[in-house]
Amino acid sequence: MSENASEIFVFDTGPLSAFAANNWLGVLKAVVGKRRAVIPDVVAMELREGMAKDSRIGAALTADWIEHRELTSDAERDAFADFSELLVVGTRNIGEAAVLAIARTMRATAVVDDSAARKAAASFNVKYCPTLRLLCWSIRDGLLTVPLVAELADDLLASKYHYPFPSGGFERWAKENGLLDGN
């Protein structure tokens, strides 16, 4: 993959829930490869809540390639407070704030699809990556194919996951945005 092999990915609830509920979690595992995948305890809690609606989400909780981690240090708690100020409204976006806090303190990449979380990451210079970018990198590296990712994207769109193109539009969107180029 185009990124550093020692990289750590910190996943948000949304991508893990959507991939697990649509039986595509194995694709994320392949994309992560030998890198570390981490979720904060808040994301684990949100995944458990999601299991009440869809038991398939439990696969993300029991996956042996995903490390669960609490925010324990002062730096992590301070970072969580910073991101909470930007993102948390009531009980919304607590997971995103925790993901960004861990990503900032571990110098990891936050895997977030929510635009508010991406903007918050950018405001604190935290490295982030939406799932579509991860998938496109994997296509360029020969790990995944365009037809596979197009099918995956259509499945997620059918389950009401939000992507910036309609069903059947992945390849066109990726080409228009230069995400399948080797640059």
Side-chain angles (χ1 to χ4, degrees):
M1 185 176 288
S2 305
E3 295 299 298
N4 183 344
S6 64
E7 191 169 7
I8 301 168
F9 293 123
V10 185
F11 280 90
D12 190 20
T13 309
L16 288 177
S17 292
F19 278 70
N22 289 284
N23 299 314
W24 288 104
L25 198 58
V27 171
L28 281 184
K29 179 181 179 183
V31 168
V32 168
K34 294 184 178 183
R35 296 171 197 82
R36 290 173 59 195
V38 175
I39 59 171
D41 55 348
V42 175
V43 166
M45 181 187 70
E46 290 176 350
L47 290 170
R48 280 191 288 279
E49 291 171 1
M51 281 178 49
K53 296 176 186 166
D54 188 330
S55 63
R56 295 175 297 176
I57 292 172
L61 279 169
T62 59
D64 61 1
W65 55 277
I66 301 174
E67 301 172 33
H68 296 209
R69 192 166 189 294
E70 292 182 33
L71 282 76
T72 56
S73 72
D74 289 343
E76 291 168 339
R77 287 189 288 270
D78 290 346
F80 180 73
D82 289 341
F83 289 112
S84 291
E85 278 187 40
L86 292 176
L87 294 170
V88 175
V89 178
T91 58
R92 294 188 53 159
N93 298 331
I94 295 172
E96 284 87 345
V99 165
L100 295 174
I102 288 180
R104 183 165 101 181
T105 55
M106 293 181 75
R107 299 182 187 271
T109 300
V111 181
V112 289
D113 284 342
D114 179 75
S115 64
R118 294 193 317 249
K119 288 178 186 172
S123 70
F124 281 95
N125 294 318
V126 172
K127 194 173 174 183
Y128 67 92
C129 185
T131 52
L132 283 174
R133 192 180 317 152
L134 282 177
L135 296 171
C136 288
W137 285 339
S138 296
I139 291 170
R140 289 190 332 225
D141 291 344
L143 180 63
L144 303 177
T145 64
V146 170
L148 176 85
V149 174
E151 182 182 344
L152 180 160
D154 286 350
D155 278 358
L156 270 57
L157 286 166
S159 68
K160 310 255 187 259
Y161 202 69
H162 297 283
Y163 278 140
F165 48 82
S167 180
F170 166 74
E171 184 172 1
R172 179 178 178 174
W173 172 85
K175 285 180 177 176
E176 287 175 353
N177 288 283
L179 295 172
L180 299 179
D181 301 337
N183 302 325

